Amino acid sequence: MLRKHLLTLTLLASAGLAQAAQTIDVYRDPNCGCCKHWISHLRDNGFTVNDHVEPQMSAVKQRLGVAPRLASCHTGVIDGKFVEGHVPAEQIHALLARDDLKGIAVPGMPIGSPGMEMGDRKDAYQVIGVTHDGQDVQVAQY
Ligand SMILES: [Cu+2]
């Protein structure tokens, strides 16, 4: 009986931690359609999204240290790290598990990335990580 209670408590505690780590703030222009589709992709994958409508996106990117070469439409922030552009949800989980990166990006708006679906067309794209000293590293390729 006691063991069963302990197990339940452990499960509740770990569920709570997972929940806390999965809230992401997303900043997007009010007129951005694909940004909303990306937010749906995150919610479908279990993230809690705080949606911030932001008419001055370039200022947001500058504040968060997203270099112009990495820029896309929307910018997310999770656990103090930036998530720029149409990054697949699985890559955000991977980002949370590493401490060598200050953020990840899918520059531009590749067709076929999450939120940019257009029929069967899929452009090749990379997920780029940025280290704390500002170096780009390739994180994943799609
Ligand atoms: Cu977009």
Side-chain angles (χ1 to χ4, degrees):
M1 195 61 176
L2 179 63
R3 249 183 81 168
K4 197 177 161 193
H5 278 267
L6 281 174
L7 181 64
T8 309
L9 281 174
T10 311
L11 286 175
L12 283 174
S14 48
L17 283 174
Q19 202 65 32
Q22 298 221 319
T23 297
I24 181 166
D25 287 279
V26 177
Y27 300 87
R28 63 172 177 88
D29 186 272
N31 299 312
C32 182
C34 57
C35 300
K36 290 182 210 160
H37 294 147
W38 185 67
I39 287 172
S40 300
H41 166 73
L42 297 184
R43 288 183 172 144
D44 289 348
N45 282 277
F47 286 91
T48 300
V49 180
N50 295 328
D51 181 8
H52 304 273
V53 172
E54 173 57 63
Q56 299 285 345
M57 280 307 298
S58 54
V60 170
K61 292 180 203 300
Q62 202 167 18
R63 176 164 59 82
L64 295 169
V66 180
R69 67 178 183 283
L70 301 172
S72 176
C73 38
H74 50 259
T75 305
V77 183
I78 184 165
D79 200 18
K81 300 165 179 178
F82 68 78
V83 178
E84 175 72 12
H86 290 266
V87 174
E90 62 194 18
Q91 295 301 326
I92 303 176
H93 290 295
L95 172 68
L96 292 174
R98 347 185 6 166
D99 51 19
D100 59 327
L101 299 178
K102 64 178 179 183
I104 51 175
V106 170
M109 304 210 289
I111 292 177
S113 60
M116 283 296 294
E117 292 88 357
M118 289 181 190
D120 289 335
R121 199 178 136 192
K122 279 196 191 299
D123 290 351
Y125 64 94
Q126 293 186 345
V127 180
I128 296 168
V130 182
T131 62
H132 292 287
D133 59 0
Q135 302 295 311
D136 289 2
V137 291
Q138 190 189 295
V139 166
Q141 203 160 16
Y142 286 82

